[in-house]
Amino acid sequence: MTKTKWALDPSHSSVDFSIRHMMIANVRGTFNNFNATIEADPTDLITATIEFTIETSSVDTRSKDRDGHLVSADFFDVETYPTMTFRSTNIEKTDDGEYNVTGELTLRGTTRPETFAVTYEGQGKDPWGNEKVGFSASGTVNRSDYGLTWNAALETGGVLVGDKVKINLQIQAAKAE
């Protein structure tokens, strides 16, 4: 197959994360507004171009108070930095349908290289004849690398918010016309 443009299907895609809370549990969240530009041969991502944009104000952890704190200057500072972006720079095949996608992640004005494990989940036509493709991706980033350093010490030792953020994406895209 040749390199093709794919349009993200947001109603069948998700951008989720989890982070340690109080050193005893994981808190999960999602971003509700995001978009991607994908130009790829989905069966061989080596030459793909992937750009991803997430509206940081769309964070949703099922807690209005926590979400309000996350969009403040203590964390995402959405007034100054309304989006985070990822642009692929290198893709290595690690197994059949599996890749390490390295790119530049920009968050809070800081750009750093990050690598995500990406799996090609398959391709097919929906009942209306639209060509669809699916991918999953996962990785871990250190929030402090991007200036997200707010924390609180716990009486029992340790801190309220962990540094490692686990990221999980489920992506479905349609062949662009």
Side-chain angles (χ1 to χ4, degrees):
M1 187 175 209
T2 60
K3 202 169 174 181
T4 305
K5 289 186 180 183
W6 298 88
L8 180 78
D9 179 351
S11 65
H12 293 102
S13 300
S14 63
V15 177
D16 303 315
F17 64 91
S18 66
I19 190 166
R20 294 292 284 172
H21 182 254
M22 293 185 57
M23 302 181 70
I24 60 171
N26 289 307
V27 171
R28 298 187 183 287
T30 192
F31 289 95
N32 293 315
N33 299 327
F34 51 89
N35 203 350
T37 303
I38 304 166
E39 192 170 333
D41 170 352
T43 63
D44 185 8
L45 292 182
I46 296 295
T47 62
T49 303
I50 303 165
E51 294 187 11
F52 216 90
T53 301
I54 298 169
E55 293 179 25
T56 51
S57 64
S58 73
V59 67
D60 181 357
T61 63
R62 298 184 325 252
S63 168
K64 186 177 179 180
D65 290 341
R66 181 172 45 229
D67 296 346
H69 193 198
L70 288 172
V71 300
S72 77
D74 283 344
F75 287 96
F76 293 129
D77 191 5
V78 300
E79 293 296 320
T80 307
Y81 308 104
T83 61
M84 73 173 91
T85 60
F86 178 84
R87 288 179 181 81
S88 63
T89 57
N90 186 50
I91 301 173
E92 296 176 355
K93 188 170 188 169
T94 58
D95 204 345
D96 190 32
E98 296 181 9
Y99 303 85
N100 281 336
V101 177
T102 300
E104 296 178 342
L105 178 65
T106 301
L107 174 58
R108 265 188 75 115
T110 299
T111 301
R112 295 182 44 86
E114 298 289 355
T115 300
F116 295 89
V118 175
T119 301
Y120 167 66
E121 299 291 353
Q123 186 174 347
K125 287 192 180 196
D126 68 16
W128 302 273
N130 300 304
E131 191 72 29
K132 300 283 184 118
V133 66
F135 301 99
S136 60
S138 63
T140 301
V141 300
N142 291 326
R143 67 184 183 94
S144 60
D145 289 345
Y146 297 91
L148 284 88
T149 57
W150 183 92
N151 224 327
L154 298 175
E155 181 180 298
T156 57
V159 291
L160 184 64
V161 183
D163 194 39
K164 292 181 179 179
V165 182
K166 294 179 182 177
I167 299 169
N168 185 310
L169 289 84
Q170 298 298 319
I171 302 300
Q172 188 175 115
K175 194 174 199 177
E177 308 238 353

